[in-house]
């Protein structure tokens, strides 16, 4: 397999007629999916998503793809194709459009509705081109054709990109539910036609490549949902993703069947379900959905709440219910249905919520004890179907950590794609499709860009390193005042600590050591603030390491008066 | 079910002849298992383990049970019974013995060997009493009988505690592998005899109560291990727990079969396997195990490394191999076998290691893609056997989060234990067994006690709250120098930030605001350092919130000269 492991340099110029593929996100991680295609000096972007931080990136709100590769070439971008409306595919768009607001967005009706709602919050009105399955559009030198795929959000599309370099198929995220609720299956007939035509490069969703067999149909969770409604004594509280229209549809259907009223809770849930209903993706019987304020007039056994918070997000309604910090006071007889996945890394937070709800007496139904969730991604069995019907010349697994990409590559090889025509690339790896062969030719810088509060990119790796030290060890600050004329120490050392976990009185032990060290330094003629700070840092650092076996951040400050 | 949810006050005095049960750990969490039994004014402790911190407890090394309940009653403790040698059952012993080193430890041969090795590191030589299954010992007013149970470490025991209050059975941790490697099954015949005698209170391991069916036998993973050895082209690197003697035995057997040599890597692995071998629990064919230094003389396909790090611990050999920060340079052809569970909360760390190893070309076999791990705990099916053979009068689920305890309680009820004789207790809940009925009668304070470096209990909830703020937001410190005679500001404000993620030059904007606020305050006669700090905190806090929508810790410092 082609493998980017050697140190890769900057790529050579793209040969005439070739197609360059650079993923700026989504390879080596689950999230911030973004792929840039280049041909004849023009660029096409497919998706622009966000990644949610994990424990090594504390306090960060979002992680963006690194747009540096595009910064000088914004005028070359003909369009941003959005395959579907999930955050990890559209969440980065507002930040890219801040750099150039008039790049056209191309996507299906629901996808555009979701991104336009998001952009409105950023006060951006985009140029859009709505497309649907079967449609073709010429976007600069790229001939694009859109193909229906089935996923955990309606109206998802795969995109075929034709150019002089050949035929490329990018699946976006997909699975192959053969009995989807909306009847809109992944268009294998179109895949077959492409296979006949010849696919030169196949970029394919790897998320579930490690999972053997086939992803179960969405409708197979209906019995478990029905059982919740049949046995619930009081309220039914459903937590799910705010974009999972079909999941919510099943909840609405069950609610109607069991003569309950439904209220949506949480900004994103209310907004998205409103849009989905308006555009005809969510079917709501007249009078079924009520405002949350109307719940007071209903008995508990007539009520369904649909909210976010299925990943244990501390500010979401569900977490607050678990902490009794919400107007809905969950108790015995209430049933909480967590109709969602459990994203790796969220286990502690999710179990904290489940334990909290159960401790108050609620029954909690979740994927660990009932069939209330199915994945949105194709498992290994489905991927094999795709490889066999497409018979692609070259394969590039996308969307996943290394283990997912590697498992997907192995599936391609198992169906007969030659080892050296399977490209295992990472974010920033440059892959050129030239004369029908895809090859790794170099790499471009591709870092993490952090959004924190209103800032983009200000929080960097060194800030995060500081945060990790502060998180694990806290800090000790030492202030010394120096006369700016004589250079003599005239005040301090004042010593304080936070997150260190000792009474400040403990520093009475080190204060004389600092004073002595400063005296010694000044006797030796040291007056420079930088050197004095070093003396303080060394003295306090050694003391705290010997005395406590810990390494808090030491912050020496020298103030001149 | 009895349920501690109402606010519980301090317990009344224990009625004469009654037995009091207080768990100081292990109820509502997985770890720091510790239960205190009281009868006739004397105490018996069963287990004294540690809990490993999660993300809400950053930087902490270990979490201990809260010994406050025992602090004035150390002389009343007749013994500490240790059911088996896992950290979550013995790890707290050194800290309890620091308070009183002569409390006798009672346990099986391997359990005592493990705790003695640990205590030696703390320079404590304990009083011990070795017991084995079938044996009975009078410990103060407690008649104890020890029963063999099967678990993921050899030589585990359940304990029967007889007193005038009745017969109590505490399972410790257990499962019911019917074909264990050492032939030592959980002694159901003894359970049956106890059932005939009448069990008044049954304390039972809840860890796997949510898991339907039966835990698969340990030996069922042999084929998957064998397959690893059959297909491995170069090195085999096995990561597992340093206490899982039977798991390692299976690896040794496969290595011998496939004519490879084995080296143990890592302090705890080397130490524990040495002890297990010495005491006859690990059977090592002559010449099979070599020192890691001897590996250089062997071809890669003659080598097996057995190491720790299966939970993604960043300092363990396996993580360092994944980061190419270890003398073993993993590459194509190497196979890494993670023969272990994936403890919830460790997912990100473990997947980081798996991705890292795969990225270097290694094959990684883990519980996600092969049958290379079975749990050490009884699943729901096994627990039902226990309830039915014991027919206990009262049940108290132990060892688990609320969801586990609740699932276990439901199993008890399903077998016919009356709802109100199932006691759902939390850490600190006081349960009295009087006249054959177990009832919640109160609660004692029971907090988390944190070990960090050499300190025990210095790091408290407020330090952790500080660490969480510092982790997510960093801090901004502002130093002002004040003349101690006139009270006038004579130096500063000097402003610095760490973990905040902005160039210090950004503070040029807020410095004049701070100066103006201080001027205003001083004009109004404010000279007190505390008030000046408040002025600084408010001014900087408001600016940073407006400008960045963030809430770093603001540290105002006023130094008087």
């Amino acid at each position: 397999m082609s493998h980017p492991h050697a140190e890769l340099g900057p790529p050579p110029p793209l040969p005439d007629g070739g197609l360059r593929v650079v993923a700026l996100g989504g390879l080596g991680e689950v999230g911030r999916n973004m792929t840039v295609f280049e041909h004849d000096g023009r660029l096409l972007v497919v998706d622009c998503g966000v990644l949610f931080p994990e424990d090594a990136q504390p306090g960060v709100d979002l992680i963006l793809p690194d747009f540096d590769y595009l910064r000088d070439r914004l005028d070359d971008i003909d369009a941003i194709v959005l395959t579907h409306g999930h955050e990890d595919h559209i969440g980065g768009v507002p930040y890219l459009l801040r750099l150039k607001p008039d790049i056209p967005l191309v996507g299906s009706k629901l996808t555009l509705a979701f991104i336009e709602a998001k952009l409105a919050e950023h006060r951006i009105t985009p140029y859009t081109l709505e497309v649907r399955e079967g449609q073709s559009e010429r976007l600069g030198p790229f001939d694009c054709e859109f193909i229906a795929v089935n996923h955990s959000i309606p109206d998802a599309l795969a995109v075929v990109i034709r150019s002089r370099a050949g035929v490329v198929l990018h699946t976006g995220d997909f699975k192959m539910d053969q009995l989807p609720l909306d009847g809109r299956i992944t268009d294998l007939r179109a895949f077959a036609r492409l296979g006949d035509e010849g696919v030169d490069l196949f970029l394919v969703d790897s998320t579930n490549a490690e999972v053997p067999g086939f992803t179960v149909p969405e409708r197979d969770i209906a019995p478990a949902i029905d059982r919740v409604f049949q046995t619930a004594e009081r309220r039914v509280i459903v937590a799910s993703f705010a974009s999972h229209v079909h999941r919510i549809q099943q909840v609405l259907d069950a609610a109607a069947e069991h003569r309950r009223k439904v209220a949506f809770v949480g900004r994103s849930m209310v907004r998205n379900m409103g849009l989905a209903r308006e555009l005809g993706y969510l079917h709501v019987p007249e009078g079924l959905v009520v405002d949350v304020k109307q719940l007071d007039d209903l008995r508990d056994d007539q009520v369904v709440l649909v909210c976010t918070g299925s990943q244990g997000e501390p500010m979401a309604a569900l977490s607050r219910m678990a902490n009794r910090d919400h107007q809905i006071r969950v108790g015995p007889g209430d049933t909480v249905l967590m109709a969602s996945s459990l994203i790796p890394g969220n286990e502690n937070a999710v179990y904290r919520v489940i334990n909290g709800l159960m401790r108050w007496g609620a029954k909690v139904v979740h994927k660990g004890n009932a069939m209330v969730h199915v994945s949105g991604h194709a498992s290994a069995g489905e991927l094999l179907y795709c490889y066999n019907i497409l018979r692609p010349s070259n394969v590039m697994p996308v969307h996943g950590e290394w283990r997912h990409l590697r498992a997907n590559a192995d599936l391609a090889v198992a169906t007969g794609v030659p080892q050296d025509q399977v490209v295992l690339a990472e974010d920033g790896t440059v892959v050129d499709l030239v004369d029908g062969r895809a090859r790794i030719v170099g790499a471009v810088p591709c870092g993490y860009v952090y959004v924190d509060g209103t800032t983009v990119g200000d929080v960097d790796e060194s800030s995060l390193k500081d945060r990790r030290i502060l998180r694990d060890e806290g800090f000790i600050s030492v202030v010394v005042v120096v006369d700016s004329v004589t250079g003599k120490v005239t005040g301090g050392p004042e010593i304080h600590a936070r997150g260190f976990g000792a009474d400040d009185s403990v520093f009475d032990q080190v204060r004389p050591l600092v004073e002595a060290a400063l005296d010694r330094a000044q006797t030796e003629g040291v007056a420079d603030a930088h050197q004095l700070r070093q003396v303080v840092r060394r003295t306090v650092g050694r003391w705290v390491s010997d005395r406590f076996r810990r390494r808090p951040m030491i912050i020496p400050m020298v103030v001149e008066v």
Side-chain angles (χ1 to χ4, degrees), chain A:
Chain A
M1 278 169 226
S2 290
H3 198 284
H5 247 139
E7 283 296 315
L8 292 168
L14 175 62
D16 185 48
L19 179 82
R20 176 157 288 178
V21 185
V22 182
L24 299 181
L27 303 195
E29 64 214 351
V30 175
R32 65 164 190 165
N33 298 291
M34 180 171 184
T35 313
V36 180
F37 295 88
E38 176 173 0
H39 183 64
D40 274 358
R42 302 295 299 171
L43 303 176
L44 181 76
V45 174
V46 174
D47 289 331
C48 182
V50 292
L51 172 68
F52 295 99
E54 50 181 65
D55 51 352
Q57 293 134 344
V60 166
D61 298 329
L62 296 171
I63 304 172
L64 300 179
D66 189 341
F67 300 145
D68 260 4
Y69 176 63
L70 296 176
R71 215 168 287 267
D72 297 331
R73 304 197 56 189
L74 293 168
D75 291 338
D76 298 338
I77 304 176
D78 284 310
I80 303 169
V81 171
L82 301 172
T83 59
H84 62 281
H86 279 152
E87 286 297 309
D88 56 335
H89 290 256
I90 67 168
V93 170
Y95 302 92
L96 184 53
L97 290 195
R98 275 192 201 174
L99 305 180
K100 186 167 192 289
D102 63 352
I103 306 173
L105 306 181
V106 180
S108 65
K109 187 194 283 183
L110 186 69
T111 306
L112 290 181
F114 278 13
I115 185 63
E116 282 171 324
K118 173 176 286 291
L119 286 166
E121 291 173 8
H122 289 257
R123 296 162 203 268
I124 298 176
T125 310
Y127 290 77
T128 60
L129 171 64
E130 188 182 311
V131 293
R132 46 174 297 132
E133 50 268 33
Q135 189 170 337
S136 291
E137 291 291 338
R138 186 160 182 98
L139 304 167
F142 307 95
D143 260 321
C144 293
E145 177 189 345
F146 300 93
I147 298 179
V149 292
N150 171 253
H151 186 40
S152 44
I153 186 170
D155 228 8
L157 293 169
V159 56
V160 184
I161 303 166
R162 290 187 180 83
S163 69
R164 286 188 292 136
V167 178
V168 176
L169 172 62
H170 190 312
T171 62
D173 283 347
F174 82 112
K175 61 176 170 176
M176 302 216 289
D177 190 337
Q178 295 301 300
L179 296 168
L181 289 185
D182 61 1
R184 187 174 174 277
I185 56 172
T186 291
D187 190 355
L188 269 193
R189 209 188 278 182
F191 280 23
R193 184 169 41 72
L194 284 170
D196 283 342
E197 179 183 351
V199 172
D200 296 287
L201 178 60
F202 182 38
L203 293 97
V204 50
D205 178 12
S206 308
T207 313
N208 270 1
E210 281 188 316
V211 179
F214 293 80
T215 303
V216 173
E218 171 70 21
R219 67 174 64 205
D220 282 13
I221 67 172
I225 294 179
D226 190 65
R227 202 178 142 69
V228 165
F229 278 83
Q230 263 180 23
T231 56
E233 295 164 27
R234 295 177 61 214
R235 284 175 290 222
V236 173
I237 298 161
V238 181
S240 191
F241 293 111
S243 61
H244 207 320
V245 177
H246 292 153
R247 187 68 44 86
I248 308 299
Q249 182 72 59
Q250 298 206 81
V251 172
L252 296 189
D253 293 348
E257 170 98 16
H258 292 274
R259 295 167 197 286
R260 286 175 181 251
K261 301 288 185 190
V262 177
F264 293 119
V265 180
R267 201 173 54 90
S268 59
M269 185 63 82
V270 170
R271 185 190 71 189
N272 286 359
M273 291 308 124
L275 285 172
R277 183 181 185 176
E278 227 169 80
L279 300 176
Y281 295 94
L282 187 73
H283 308 289
V284 184
E286 197 53 43
L288 178 72
V289 168
V290 299
D291 192 275
V292 70
K293 292 185 200 96
Q294 295 171 257
L295 293 183
D296 292 343
D297 305 333
L298 295 165
R299 289 198 322 267
D300 279 352
D301 65 356
Q302 296 174 322
V303 164
V304 181
L305 287 137
V306 175
C307 59
T308 53
S310 66
Q311 298 305 308
E313 302 91 328
M315 287 307 154
L318 200 67
S319 284
R320 282 164 39 224
M321 287 178 206
N323 292 333
R324 279 276 163 120
D325 176 27
H326 193 275
Q327 67 194 70
I328 306 287
R329 294 180 72 78
V330 167
D334 287 332
T335 305
V336 177
L337 167 60
M338 302 181 74
S340 58
S341 65
L342 203 180
I343 296 174
N346 295 347
E347 287 78 4
N348 284 344
V350 170
Y351 290 134
R352 214 175 285 138
V353 168
I354 292 175
N355 285 320
L357 294 165
M358 290 183 79
R359 194 171 169 275
W360 294 113
K363 190 172 152 187
V364 183
V365 179
H366 55 95
K367 67 176 285 226
N369 59 19
M371 230 287 273
V372 293
H373 174 70
V374 298
S375 168
H377 300 271
S379 298
E382 291 151 84
L383 293 171
L384 292 175
Y385 270 73
C386 292
Y387 286 123
N388 281 328
I389 207 159
L390 285 162
R391 292 271 160 202
S393 305
N394 300 276
V395 170
M396 178 171 160
V398 295
H399 305 174
E401 300 170 16
W402 197 264
R403 63 196 170 105
H404 305 123
L405 303 178
R406 179 63 193 265
N408 204 356
D410 290 343
L411 293 173
V413 171
T415 63
V417 182
Q419 286 258 8
D420 62 348
Q421 283 160 243
V422 179
V423 180
L424 272 170
E426 298 182 297
D427 291 345
T429 305
V430 178
V431 178
D432 282 357
L433 176 67
V434 176
D435 298 331
R437 281 296 298 273
R439 282 190 187 81
I440 292 174
V441 299
V444 296
C446 190
Y448 289 103
V449 176
Y450 302 110
V451 178
D452 193 350
T454 57
T455 65
V456 179
D458 281 2
V459 171
D460 57 9
E461 295 302 335
S462 88
S463 330
L464 293 184
K465 192 177 166 200
D466 281 350
R467 286 184 184 178
R468 290 191 296 261
I469 296 171
L470 291 167
R471 165 190 77 186
D472 290 341
E473 305 277 0
F475 71 86
I476 299 174
S477 65
V478 183
V479 183
V480 175
V481 181
V482 171
D483 187 296
S484 58
V485 179
T486 64
K488 288 284 164 205
V489 172
T490 58
E494 289 264 344
I495 308 181
H496 296 288
R498 292 299 285 271
F500 176 66
D503 196 274
D504 271 0
S505 67
V506 81
F507 300 121
D508 292 346
Q509 300 168 21
V510 71
R511 199 168 290 111
L513 304 181
V514 175
E515 283 165 355
L518 287 171
D519 272 354
R520 220 164 27 243
Q522 297 212 308
T523 309
E524 289 162 14
V526 173
D528 161 55
H530 172 72
Q531 288 173 298
L532 290 177
R533 281 198 295 269
Q534 291 291 63
V535 167
V536 170
R537 180 180 288 120
R538 260 202 308 272
T539 308
V540 178
R542 197 176 302 136
W543 171 78
V544 78
S545 163
D546 290 350
R547 172 94 168 65
F548 297 96
R549 305 237 168 253
R550 278 149 69 184
R551 305 196 151 278
M553 192 179 277
I554 314 282
I555 316 277
M557 284 179 280
V558 173
V559 186
E560 299 191 350
V561 292

